[in-house]
């Protein structure tokens, strides 16, 4: 967001050169520079020990595509704390590990997305009211419903990082962990 009026006194701002940052909105009355601000959120690819990924459908995002757990960072909270909280709130899963997967600019909403790959034991997904449906999906099948790969699509960038970490056989198939057939999820 680019400020037009001073948040402290309401005076219309003018531009003032601020070193390498160039012209920045400035309040003459308060003698205060107001740098652009934007919201931040965390987005988490949650994977289990069977290389399945939790895919969510949320009607307010899309009726057609799936995505990963995500949510806004609240004041006083770190991106990591947000990631852990949102996974627990949205799908009822407790993460065992959390790996940072980069930051991504989502221009459409002027949003900085902090990406993570979270690992958890497979369990039944317990959905919050903002999640219409969710399911564990084999990693290689995720591309069928995930938002298409495009500039600013943090989910797809994080998915690519996850797939790069998986062992592949000579036919580029994900090697499944041994002795894990017939697995049943437990309650988180």
């Amino acid at each position: 967001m680019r400020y037009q009026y001073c948040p402290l006194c309401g005076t219309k701002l003018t531009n003032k050169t601020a070193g390498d940052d160039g012209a920045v909105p400035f309040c003459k009355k308060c003698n205060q520079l107001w740098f652009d601000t934007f919201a931040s959120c965390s987005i988490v690819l949650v994977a289990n020990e069977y290389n399945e990924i939790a895919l969510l459908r949320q009607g307010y995002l899309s009726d057609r595509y799936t995505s990963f757990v995500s949510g806004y960072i609240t004041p006083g909270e770190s991106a990591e704390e947000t990631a852990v909280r949102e996974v627990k709130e949205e799908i009822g899963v407790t993460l065992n590990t959390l790996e940072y997967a980069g930051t991504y600019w989502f221009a459409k909403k002027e949003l900085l997305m902090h990406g993570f790959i979270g690992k958890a034991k497979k369990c039944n997904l317990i959905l919050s009211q903002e999640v219409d449906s969710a399911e564990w999906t084999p990693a290689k099948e995720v591309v069928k419903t995930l938002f298409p790969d495009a500039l600013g699509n943090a989910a797809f960038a994080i998915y690519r990082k996850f797939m790069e970490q998986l062992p592949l056989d000579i036919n580029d198939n994900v090697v499944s962990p041994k002795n894990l057939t017939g697995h049943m999820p437990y309650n988180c």
Side-chain angles (χ1 to χ4, degrees):
M1 177 179 83
R2 186 149 185 96
Y3 291 98
Q4 296 180 8
Y5 296 90
C6 179
L8 298 177
C9 71
T11 300
K12 181 139 177 81
L13 300 174
T14 60
N15 282 329
K16 181 176 182 178
T17 301
D20 293 341
D21 291 310
V24 174
F26 177 74
C27 179
K28 292 179 183 177
K29 185 175 178 184
C30 296
N31 195 35
Q32 175 73 43
L33 290 167
W34 290 99
F35 291 89
D36 294 349
T37 61
F38 49 86
S40 290
C41 78
S42 291
I43 180 168
V44 189
L45 178 156
V46 180
N48 65 33
E49 69 272 28
Y50 307 103
N51 294 325
E52 296 170 321
I53 296 171
L55 287 183
L56 286 67
R57 287 199 184 273
Q58 296 174 285
Y60 71 93
L61 293 177
S62 173
D63 290 331
R64 182 174 177 189
Y65 298 113
T66 58
S67 190
F68 304 141
V69 171
S70 63
Y72 287 96
I73 299 172
T74 59
E77 192 175 50
S78 70
E80 292 82 0
E81 289 168 332
T82 300
V84 170
R85 175 181 55 78
E86 287 289 340
V87 169
K88 188 67 172 171
E89 286 176 3
E90 290 190 3
I91 59 173
V93 172
T94 300
L95 294 176
N96 296 327
T97 64
L98 187 67
E99 171 192 336
Y100 197 67
T103 55
Y104 307 89
W105 181 247
F106 186 38
K108 183 178 177 182
K109 294 200 173 189
E110 293 188 352
L111 185 64
L112 183 64
M113 302 183 83
H114 300 267
F116 295 93
I117 296 171
K119 303 278 180 76
K121 288 192 73 151
K122 184 170 185 172
C123 63
N124 293 315
L125 302 177
I126 301 166
L127 310 183
S128 77
Q129 291 181 347
E130 63 184 87
V131 177
D132 298 318
S133 65
E135 63 185 355
W136 292 109
T137 304
K140 205 153 186 178
E141 303 296 315
V142 167
V143 294
K144 293 179 180 178
T145 61
L146 189 64
F147 274 94
D149 193 9
L151 186 64
N153 182 347
F156 216 95
I158 297 164
Y159 172 71
R160 274 195 305 274
K161 284 190 178 201
F162 176 78
M163 292 302 288
E164 289 169 2
Q165 297 174 0
L166 295 181
L168 302 176
D169 66 16
I170 59 172
N171 297 316
D172 286 336
N173 293 314
V174 174
V175 176
S176 297
K178 296 185 188 300
N179 303 321
L180 297 178
T181 57
H183 55 276
M184 295 295 295
Y186 70 97
N187 291 326
C188 297

